[in-house]
Amino acid sequence: MKKLVILASALTLSFGAFAATQASEETLATAHKGADTAKEKLHEAQNTGAQQKLKAKHAAEGKANSTGSKISEGSQKAWHNTKQGAEKGWDKTKESAEDLKNDISP
């Protein structure tokens, strides 16, 4: 009877620890998602500012509608998209590695 009570107590404690771990993992995932969203918005604002600055420079030089300025602006936009995509991929890789590390660690 005593062993049964000890076993029941141990199981109750382990389920509580598992629930706490699960809750902290969910909180961490939510925090990562919020940080990624904030970082994306920041980079979008920075990229928009850089694109507007380039357009203003071209307008000041009188080349606003020239083929060269359109190519330059398009290249800049493509570069920003590529850079942002690479950063998203890197962030995902880091988060996956962190999740794997947390799953392996006791």
Side-chain angles (χ1 to χ4, degrees), residues 8 10-11 18 22 24 26 28-29 31 34 36 46-47 49 60-61 70 82 84 87 92 98-99:
L11 285 175
F18 175 74
Q22 189 69 17
S24 65
E26 290 172 5
L28 183 62
D36 291 344
Q46 289 173 335
N47 294 343
E61 293 172 352
K70 288 182 181 181
T82 301
Q84 191 170 4
E87 189 169 307
K92 255 317 189 201
E98 187 176 299
D99 290 344

Side-chain angles (χ1 to χ4, degrees), residues 26-42 95:
E26 290 172 5
T27 303
L28 183 62
T30 303
H32 279 303
K33 187 175 180 180
D36 291 344
T37 302
K39 190 186 296 185
E40 286 176 28
K41 288 182 180 181
L42 172 66
E95 289 173 18

